[in-house]
Amino acid sequence: RKEVEQDPGPFNVPEGATVAFNCTYSNSASQSFFWYRQDCRKEPKLLMSVYSSGNEDGRFTAQLNRASQYISLLIRDSKLSDSATYLCVVNIGLTGTASKLTFGTGTRLQVTL
Amino acid sequence: EPEVTQTPSHQVTQMGQEVILRCVPISNHLYFYWYRQILGQKVEFLVSFYNNEISEKSEIFDDQFSVERPDGSNFTLKIRSTKLEDSAMYFCASSRDGTTNEKLFFGSGTQLSVL
């Protein structure tokens, strides 16, 4: 089983649509969870951290289910500028030690007019 | 926002040659990292570095690889004898501390092409 598994997509959605991405992870000792965004041939950029209580940042909502080892990202009112690859990322480093991020292969989103 | 800078942005080298990839982490950060991404594949952890020593390294980071912080600002990745399969985008990152939700700041990467 892959350490972090995502549907590669692509997801093609019209502007204004709501789109959801899912991710599962295999290491139950994982400490923290993130969604990163990566544009073509660019560095990953942190979109948001993910907490069990669920968290929202504008049009983006992330959710973590530790029991199911499942992470989700919801994007509402999609915009053309949201077109990118969304990376599910898990930190298996221990608190007080260096981070060790494990990346999924990413889900490609294409928002169209 | 503070930035991690990497040089060069592109590096072309012949198989068997040594390359050094350079990074300037954010000035008050204490943890430093190298990740790589082969074209079309996921981002992979190579090594973490703290207090002038390697904290952890992956199985990719074999004896051909080494890291160094030669002065107070630079953080380098050396590949001693490059192979074709070393061709990838190499990202440097840094973080301020070791809390688990601490944000990693990534540089814009060095594209290494081994011919």
Side-chain angles (χ1 to χ4, degrees):
Chain A
R1 183 180 173 185
K2 290 181 184 176
E3 290 180 285
V4 179
E5 196 149 5
Q6 298 181 250
D7 181 343
F11 284 56
N12 295 298
V13 302
E15 251 191 322
T18 295
V19 62
F21 303 138
N22 303 315
C23 163
T24 56
Y25 62 94
S26 61
N27 188 337
S28 59
S30 300
Q31 295 288 321
S32 49
F33 310 87
F34 309 91
W35 284 100
Y36 275 73
R37 170 193 169 128
Q38 186 175 32
D39 294 288
C40 188
R41 309 301 291 156
K42 303 279 191 183
E43 74 274 23
K45 291 188 176 175
L46 179 65
L47 183 65
M48 58 198 303
S49 300
V50 189
Y51 305 109
S52 296
S53 53
N55 47 303
E56 189 173 306
D57 183 2
R59 298 180 293 108
F60 299 86
T61 301
Q63 188 75 50
L64 166 66
N65 184 322
R66 279 190 183 267
S68 305
Q69 296 181 198
Y70 172 94
I71 305 164
S72 65
L73 176 68
L74 185 77
I75 306 175
R76 289 182 300 279
D77 188 23
S78 300
K79 305 198 180 302
L80 293 175
S81 57
D82 293 334
S83 298
T85 297
Y86 289 82
L87 308 177
C88 179
V89 182
V90 172
N91 184 3
I92 60 174
L94 299 176
T95 303
T97 68
S99 291
K100 184 178 180 183
L101 300 184
T102 301
F103 287 77
T105 51
T107 299
R108 177 93 180 97
L109 173 65
Q110 183 67 51
V111 181
T112 57
L113 287 170
Chain B
E1 188 172 69
E3 284 186 347
V4 174
T5 56
Q6 290 186 242
T7 54
S9 56
H10 293 85
Q11 175 86 51
V12 180
T13 190
Q14 296 290 326
M15 193 169 57
Q17 294 296 303
E18 175 183 287
V19 293
I20 298 176
L21 310 183
R22 302 180 191 280
C23 170
V24 179
I26 294 169
S27 61
N28 63 344
H29 284 191
L30 301 177
Y31 292 81
F32 314 112
Y33 310 86
W34 284 100
Y35 286 79
R36 79 170 188 190
Q37 187 175 29
I38 294 170
L39 185 63
Q41 297 186 24
K42 65 179 182 178
V43 178
E44 299 174 290
F45 169 81
L46 290 179
V47 67
S48 56
F49 191 87
Y50 169 71
N51 200 26
N52 283 318
E53 59 184 25
I54 290 175
S55 295
E56 189 170 355
K57 58 185 180 180
S58 71
E59 59 274 10
I60 302 169
F61 195 90
D62 61 23
D63 292 342
Q64 296 297 317
F65 290 86
S66 62
V67 288
E68 194 178 29
R69 189 154 161 82
D71 52 42
S73 59
N74 290 287
F75 179 52
T76 61
L77 174 69
K78 182 192 290 187
I79 309 175
R80 186 161 53 235
S81 177
T82 50
K83 307 185 194 65
L84 295 175
E85 54 265 35
D86 294 328
S87 295
M89 180 75 89
Y90 288 80
F91 293 110
C92 174
S94 69
S95 65
R96 188 183 53 200
D97 59 38
T99 54
T100 54
N101 274 316
E102 179 67 12
K103 177 180 177 179
L104 261 67
F105 290 76
F106 282 85
S108 56
T110 294
Q111 177 63 56
L112 176 65
S113 298
V114 182
L115 306 179

